Amino acid sequence: MLKFQAPRGTRDLLPVDQLKWSVVFNKIRTVVENFSFGQIETPIYENQNVFTKPIGAQTDIVEKEMFEVRRMATHPTDSDEEKDRYVLRPEYTAPVVRAYLEHGLASWPQPVKLWYWGPTFRYDRPQKGRFRQFTQFGLEIFGEASPTTDAFLILVLWQIYAQLGIDRLITIDINTIGDSVCRPKIRKTLHDYLQKSRAELCADCRRRLDINPMRVLDCKNEACQKTVRYAPEIVDLTCPACKNHFRQVLEHLDDLNIPYDLNPRLVRGLDYYTKTTFEVRPTDDTNRQSSLGGGGRYDDLVQIFGGQSTPAIGFAGGVDRTVDYLLDQNIQLKVEERPKLCLIQFGQLARRKSLTVVSKLSDIGYSLVVSFDKEGLNAQLKYADKMGAALCLIIGQKEALAEEIIVRNMIDGSQEIVSVSKLTEVLKRKIKEITK
Ligand code: HAM
């Protein structure tokens, strides 16, 4: 048993994993850049108030899942800053809204389109696909209320999944949850219906029933699911404007041939949503246990943060789940590897010269491997072989004095003595030959 291991619910990504993640990152970046989303990064921790009200004080995330960040204080302090409480971000949308207002993005030409990729933290019970530190990528569009924008956002994420090669394997669960006009009626109707079966609900739902009865609809508890089976459907309770908005979103998705499932129980675990809400899941995950991503409209959130009323919509995908799903589906995540070049040097003078030589090699598309502790040609050739080097640059005492270098092709064993001044040129040619 090792003395230290990565904390529960977290994991290390080794170089071989990072290569796969970088393939996913690059594919996502290509798509979002095609649609002119600008990348944003926010701090990993924020004042807890950035999340509490926007996400909802009664949600699992705020009630149970946030990690607090504190200075390890040995001396109590009463400075104002220390009185604020900070938490690791459990999601990006609220911090992005904070940043949108803090940096005056409201005065940019609308819509403002942003994307992100980075670590998020939730104190969840770790299991397959559920981590305490996980990476999210996401998209947010500010300043457009049109249902076409909802469909546009879904189109962008659909293209991401198409690039990743899984668009045929996934489905979008979609619903509308109304807006500030119809929400009071939705809440009251659901509350009155569920109130009759209050005793059958789980403790969390009993507690939440009076505050947000919609949350009972997607509770995973079996007894709660049974109770809500015949509950009124939100879409039927929404106002004509919300119904019309939803109908138009669905018409667009039909036009685009994007498969969706109307899911009248989908309310999402964050309180800031209005109108369209959706989740992306593997089509065969009929239990809806491991969504690859989720999102929706949040037309009131900018105002909750103190800004002008600004319609907005967004989506976030779980990178860990997505990468694991791609691997489960045997989808290759290969990066084009650059040929490896091994720098072999023996003797003090050669060692000195070798670093100077490397410093002068301009970007010619190689990846250098080198060991400065291995003495002698054979040991270093063996190392080059183990590392899969395609070419070796060999400098001994003689070459160092003559300003020359031996370039050895490890595939066919051929060698060439090259003057240092010509090295870049020769390597370019040889690398081209190898990668042909
Ligand atoms: P969310 O549904 O809470 O939405 O999270 C989005 C995705 O993050 C999930 O679908 C899942 O793939 C991944 N995820 C969540 N929790 C975990 C976990 N413990 N371990 C691994 N992956 C996880 C949001 O966060 C919203 N901010 C999305 C959004 C953006 N809405 C509007 N804009």
Side-chain angles (χ1 to χ4, degrees), residues 61 90-93 116 122 124 129-132 134 136 139-140 268 270 272-273 279 291-296 298 313-318 320-321:
I61 294 180
E91 60 111 49
Y92 265 94
T93 309
Y116 46 79
R122 293 183 194 174
D124 243 335
R130 181 159 299 162
F131 303 93
R132 289 185 175 164
F134 56 100
Q136 278 193 344
L139 316 161
E140 312 290 348
R268 312 266 301 122
L270 307 103
Y272 49 62
Y273 292 110
E279 281 181 5
S291 61
L292 296 176
Y298 50 93
I313 182 163
F315 163 82
D320 306 72
R321 280 188 197 175

Side-chain angles (χ1 to χ4, degrees), residues 238-349:
T238 53
C239 58
C242 283
K243 269 199 194 82
N244 191 30
H245 184 102
F246 193 45
R247 183 181 50 74
Q248 290 184 59
V249 175
L250 299 182
E251 279 170 4
H252 280 302
L253 296 185
D254 289 335
D255 291 346
L256 294 166
N257 278 325
I258 294 179
Y260 58 84
D261 256 2
L262 291 176
N263 179 353
R265 311 253 175 274
L266 182 76
V267 294
R268 312 266 301 122
L270 307 103
D271 280 357
Y272 49 62
Y273 292 110
T274 51
K275 295 186 178 159
T276 316
T277 51
F278 59 92
E279 281 181 5
V280 176
R281 64 172 166 88
T283 308
D284 57 10
D285 177 22
T286 40
N287 293 334
R288 299 179 164 90
Q289 287 298 332
S290 57
S291 61
L292 296 176
R297 243 188 199 284
Y298 50 93
D299 289 345
D300 300 334
L301 192 54
V302 175
Q303 223 170 4
I304 290 174
F305 272 86
Q308 300 273 334
S309 167
T310 308
I313 182 163
F315 163 82
V319 177
D320 306 72
R321 280 188 197 175
T322 305
V323 173
D324 290 352
Y325 182 67
L326 293 169
L327 297 176
D328 282 352
Q329 300 303 314
N330 288 321
I331 289 172
Q332 297 291 316
L333 295 172
K334 269 207 191 122
V335 251
E336 232 179 75
E337 275 194 56
R338 286 182 281 177
K340 287 202 179 112
L341 202 66
C342 185
L343 177 66
I344 295 179
Q345 13 64 48
F346 38 97
Q348 181 58 19
L349 181 63

Side-chain angles (χ1 to χ4, degrees), residues 111-334:
V112 171
K113 302 207 292 282
L114 302 170
W115 81 284
Y116 46 79
W117 166 295
T120 37
F121 304 83
R122 293 183 194 174
Y123 193 89
D124 243 335
R125 201 153 48 85
Q127 51 186 284
K128 186 174 162 40
R130 181 159 299 162
F131 303 93
R132 289 185 175 164
Q133 176 179 338
F134 56 100
T135 299
Q136 278 193 344
F137 74 93
L139 316 161
E140 312 290 348
I141 304 178
F142 293 92
E144 297 235 53
S146 164
T148 309
T149 304
D150 302 27
F152 172 79
L153 180 94
I154 293 174
L155 169 67
V156 177
L157 65 96
W158 199 254
Q159 296 221 344
I160 289 174
Y161 290 116
Q163 278 302 312
L164 295 173
I166 51 171
D167 52 328
R168 290 193 192 152
L169 304 175
I170 57 172
T171 301
I172 293 184
D173 278 333
I174 195 164
N175 194 19
T176 179
I177 56 169
D179 62 7
S180 51
V181 176
C182 44
R183 191 67 59 76
K185 177 180 155 197
I186 298 170
R187 286 203 167 139
K188 178 158 187 341
T189 312
L190 283 175
H191 177 270
D192 293 352
Y193 177 87
L194 294 168
Q195 177 65 21
K196 289 180 231 149
S197 329
R198 194 179 192 111
E200 274 111 75
L201 299 176
C202 72
D204 271 349
C205 285
R206 277 203 301 274
R207 199 161 38 81
R208 286 172 182 165
L209 182 58
D210 301 322
I211 302 143
N212 188 357
M214 286 197 330
R215 292 299 317 283
V216 180
L217 293 182
D218 77 343
C219 176
K220 299 279 182 275
N221 183 292
E222 231 173 85
C224 299
Q225 285 188 3
K226 229 172 168 181
T227 313
V228 301
R229 191 167 298 154
Y230 301 108
E233 295 194 351
I234 300 177
V235 62
D236 296 330
L237 305 171
T238 53
C239 58
C242 283
K243 269 199 194 82
N244 191 30
H245 184 102
F246 193 45
R247 183 181 50 74
Q248 290 184 59
V249 175
L250 299 182
E251 279 170 4
H252 280 302
L253 296 185
D254 289 335
D255 291 346
L256 294 166
N257 278 325
I258 294 179
Y260 58 84
D261 256 2
L262 291 176
N263 179 353
R265 311 253 175 274
L266 182 76
V267 294
R268 312 266 301 122
L270 307 103
D271 280 357
Y272 49 62
Y273 292 110
T274 51
K275 295 186 178 159
T276 316
T277 51
F278 59 92
E279 281 181 5
V280 176
R281 64 172 166 88
T283 308
D284 57 10
D285 177 22
T286 40
N287 293 334
R288 299 179 164 90
Q289 287 298 332
S290 57
S291 61
L292 296 176
R297 243 188 199 284
Y298 50 93
D299 289 345
D300 300 334
L301 192 54
V302 175
Q303 223 170 4
I304 290 174
F305 272 86
Q308 300 273 334
S309 167
T310 308
I313 182 163
F315 163 82
V319 177
D320 306 72
R321 280 188 197 175
T322 305
V323 173
D324 290 352
Y325 182 67
L326 293 169
L327 297 176
D328 282 352
Q329 300 303 314
N330 288 321
I331 289 172
Q332 297 291 316
L333 295 172
K334 269 207 191 122

Side-chain angles (χ1 to χ4, degrees), residues 382-429:
K382 229 187 223 168
Y383 172 71
D385 204 37
K386 253 192 203 155
M387 298 303 288
L391 292 174
C392 283
L393 305 183
I394 305 170
I395 314 179
Q397 173 85 354
K398 188 168 147 235
E399 289 76 26
L401 288 170
E403 290 285 320
E404 285 174 346
I405 204 153
I406 300 169
V407 180
R408 182 186 170 98
N409 182 325
M410 295 294 281
I411 300 157
D412 62 14
S414 62
Q415 293 196 161
E416 200 176 318
I417 299 174
V418 180
S419 114
V420 169
S421 60
K422 294 259 163 55
L423 189 60
T424 305
E425 209 178 293
V426 172
L427 284 180
K428 267 189 189 160
R429 172 170 52 79

